[in-house]
Amino acid sequence: MIKRMRHRPGARGFTLVEVLVVVGIIGILMAVGFPSILNTMAVRNLENTTRQVQSYLQQTKLRAVDTKIVHRVRFYLADAGFWVYEMERLQVDGTWARVEGPPRKAISARYNVTITLPTAGSDHIAIFTPVGAVANFAVDQNAIIIQSPSLLARGQMDQRVISLFMGGSIQYDKRKSS
């Protein structure tokens, strides 16, 4: 009879050199990809902020149509230096009251904001009629521009523009600062 030799399996695992090579490769990939990740996050944050303002304007317009009451979005500069906006409705006595439900929103101070909507005192406003039209439309006062300084520094499309039109249309556009 032939006796079989038992092979003792070698020690399993990774050597220190193998671990260091893998960690080095991961480090290089992270160093190369990190700026791209930061750029993507800056673009996403700008897009989300602008889409939130656009949605709020559309929500206000739809509420005016649904309730058959004139509504507006009022933009004002808070003491902390950032823009705040809220929905208001026209009362029977001609005053404006904040609408319960939709919360007051803010645009982060990390963005440069230019609002060229008609003003009421120091506030900028967009008024929607019960048919959804913009009551206070003016050709040269119909935009909200949100600009990202970090995207500007990289030479990318750093501005998002929301334009209002007389019929109630709300347009979203991307552009590069000139």
Side-chain angles (χ1 to χ4, degrees):
M1 278 203 178
I2 301 175
K3 290 188 177 181
R4 292 188 182 193
M5 290 180 76
R6 289 190 179 175
H7 292 306
R8 185 172 165 237
R12 294 187 177 178
F14 299 105
T15 66
L16 179 60
V17 172
E18 292 171 329
V19 171
L20 289 176
V21 167
V22 170
V23 168
I25 291 171
I26 291 173
I28 291 169
L29 291 175
M30 290 294 290
V32 169
F34 191 68
S36 176
I37 291 168
L38 287 180
N39 186 57
T40 300
M41 289 178 60
V43 169
R44 295 283 172 139
N45 289 335
L46 178 60
E47 295 275 338
N48 289 341
T49 298
T50 309
R51 293 286 184 186
Q52 186 177 36
V53 173
Q54 180 187 20
S55 295
Y56 204 85
L57 289 164
Q58 289 174 336
Q59 181 182 7
T60 304
K61 178 179 83 169
L62 292 174
R63 180 139 332 177
V65 170
D66 187 46
T67 62
K68 305 291 186 236
I69 298 171
V70 176
H71 280 66
R72 75 179 183 180
V73 177
R74 181 172 67 99
F75 293 85
Y76 58 93
L77 200 54
D79 293 334
F82 56 88
W83 285 92
V84 177
Y85 54 100
E86 63 186 359
M87 186 186 304
E88 298 176 333
R89 74 172 177 276
L90 185 62
Q91 302 287 74
V92 177
D93 64 1
T95 61
W96 292 93
R98 189 172 173 285
V99 174
E100 295 300 322
R104 196 174 277 138
K105 301 274 186 169
I107 301 172
S108 173
R110 79 177 122 185
Y111 299 118
N112 298 324
V113 180
T114 305
I115 300 177
T116 60
L117 297 175
T119 58
S122 62
D123 301 338
H124 296 271
I125 55 173
I127 301 173
F128 294 97
T129 68
V131 294
V134 177
N136 62 335
F137 178 79
V139 175
D140 60 338
Q141 296 180 336
N142 68 337
I144 301 163
I145 302 169
I146 303 174
Q147 188 231 11
S148 170
S150 65
L151 293 177
L152 174 63
R154 295 182 186 118
Q156 297 180 351
M157 295 181 78
D158 61 318
Q159 292 183 345
R160 301 300 182 264
V161 182
I162 300 170
S163 302
L164 300 175
F165 296 96
M166 188 183 317
S169 295
I170 301 170
Q171 179 182 336
Y172 176 88
D173 194 24
K174 301 175 188 179
R175 68 182 183 203
K176 189 174 179 180
S177 292
S178 49

